[in-house]
């Protein structure tokens, strides 16, 4: 039996509007949307698979680190560009120490304070690019509009294998998803994110690719993936 899930905004719409007014009033440079070029870019999430693929990530000249992932990549010698569209204040903690950042104007103003001294570019979502459910999936229309020839997802498996992230574990309600004949443990927001990323990969073969595995790869293969159970479930190692 499938479970119906509903996506909700993390903060009230009026807070988003205040955030946007703050960022737009700073006079910061905006993301440059130019002509297509031959460069490739890595979009890196915080999944544990990055411990297996960091050597591939290091080969990219352009790397976007989703939220807290930037600090994990630094351990492997990768000084990635911080990226976030999330409006929660906790994002400021993730942004601290970044030297380069791309930030959506919907982000909390505290993120700006955390990025003092960094090279910052901003963009609107919705507006410049569509607003999707997560930073990782929103990154795809962003980098395509920036002209990149190919984007590769790393660390975006979107399923748990013992811990929720490469650097930490978030203990919260999870769901069980059936995809490509297998069952995966994940969180509701990761399920929505994986569904969007899988759609992007199927719609742009060879242009949007993934080296994450997990639920994301299964959902690329199976467009009919569905949530089948909700609750505090056992996380398999």
């Amino acid at each position: 039996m499938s479970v119906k899930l509903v996506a909700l905004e993390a903060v009230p719409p009026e807070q988003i509007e205040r955030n946007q007014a703050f960022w737009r009033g700073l006079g910061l440079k905006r993301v440059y949307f130019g002509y297509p070029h031959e460069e490739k870019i890595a979009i890196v999430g915080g999944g544990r698979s990055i411990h297996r693929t960091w050597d591939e990530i290091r080969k990219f000249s352009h790397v976007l680190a989703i939220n807290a992932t930037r600090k994990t990549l630094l351990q492997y010698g990768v000084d990635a560009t911080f990226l976030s569209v999330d409006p929660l204040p906790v994002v400021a903690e993730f942004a601290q120490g970044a030297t380069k950042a791309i930030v959506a104007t919907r982000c909390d103003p505290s993120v700006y304070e955390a990025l003092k001294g960094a090279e910052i570019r901003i963009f609107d979502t919705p507006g410049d690019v569509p607003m999707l459910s997560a930073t990782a999936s929103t990154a795809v229309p962003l980098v395509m509009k920036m002209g990149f020839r190919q984007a590769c997802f790393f660390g975006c498996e979107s399923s748990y294998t013992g811990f929720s992230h490469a650097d930490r574990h978030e203990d919260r309600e999870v769901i069980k998803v059936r995809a490509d004949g297998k069952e995966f443990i994940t969180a509701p927001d990761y399920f929505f994110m994986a569904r969007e990323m899988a759609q992007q990969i199927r719609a742009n073969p060879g242009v949007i690719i993934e080296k994450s595995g997990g639920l994301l790869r299964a959902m690329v293969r199976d467009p009919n993936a569905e949530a089948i159970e909700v609750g505090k479930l056992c996380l398999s190692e």
Side-chain angles (χ1 to χ4, degrees):
M1 182 180 69
S2 63
V3 175
K4 184 177 181 181
L5 301 174
V6 179
L8 301 174
E9 182 59 87
V11 301
E14 54 270 23
Q15 181 62 55
I16 299 292
E17 293 176 2
R18 287 195 293 269
N19 293 353
Q20 290 172 331
F22 171 83
W23 286 95
R24 291 168 182 168
L26 294 173
L28 296 170
K29 293 181 179 180
R30 300 188 69 86
V31 173
Y32 176 71
F33 298 124
Y35 294 104
H37 50 77
E38 292 302 305
E39 296 291 322
K40 301 179 181 180
I41 190 167
I43 300 170
V44 188
R48 294 177 72 189
S49 65
I50 62 175
H51 292 313
R52 302 191 304 270
T53 57
W54 65 268
D55 54 335
E56 293 185 68
I57 297 170
R58 290 178 65 178
K59 296 176 183 177
F60 282 77
S61 299
H62 305 277
V63 180
L64 289 179
I66 307 302
N67 291 321
T69 309
R70 189 194 67 82
K71 295 180 180 179
T72 303
L73 289 178
L74 276 177
Q75 299 174 15
Y76 292 112
V78 180
D79 187 11
T81 298
F82 172 84
L83 174 68
S84 187
V85 304
D86 298 327
L88 296 174
V90 70
V91 174
E93 298 178 18
F94 304 151
Q96 288 179 352
T99 58
K100 302 166 290 183
I102 296 177
V103 182
T105 54
R106 67 198 316 273
C107 287
D108 192 83
S110 61
V111 176
Y112 175 69
E113 295 301 320
L115 288 171
K116 282 290 181 66
E119 178 186 336
I120 307 172
R121 289 187 180 270
I122 61 173
F123 68 100
D124 294 327
T125 178
D128 293 321
V129 297
M131 180 61 227
L132 300 176
S133 70
T135 297
S137 51
T138 305
V140 168
L142 178 68
V143 301
M144 292 296 98
K145 199 169 180 181
M146 291 169 70
F148 285 94
R149 179 171 69 85
Q150 186 184 75
C152 182
F153 288 119
F154 292 93
C156 293
E157 56 266 33
S158 307
S159 50
Y160 293 172
T161 51
F163 291 90
S164 63
H165 293 77
D167 64 326
R168 67 192 188 282
H169 177 65
E170 295 179 357
D171 186 18
R172 52 180 173 153
E173 186 174 63
V174 294
I175 62 174
K176 183 180 291 184
V177 175
R178 183 181 294 121
D180 193 32
K182 303 174 184 177
E183 293 183 352
F184 299 86
I185 301 299
T186 188
D189 52 329
Y190 293 166
F191 173 72
F192 288 121
M193 177 180 71
R195 184 169 62 185
E196 291 169 349
M197 292 188 294
Q199 291 170 344
Q200 292 166 336
I201 292 168
R202 288 196 300 270
N204 300 277
V207 177
I208 310 300
I209 62 176
E210 65 85 18
K211 294 189 177 181
S212 303
L215 177 60
L216 174 58
R217 185 168 299 171
M219 291 183 73
V220 172
R221 296 170 175 168
D222 181 5
N224 298 313
E226 59 181 359
I228 58 174
E229 191 175 346
V230 177
K232 289 284 185 180
L233 305 175
C234 177
L235 300 182
S236 62
E237 295 291 343

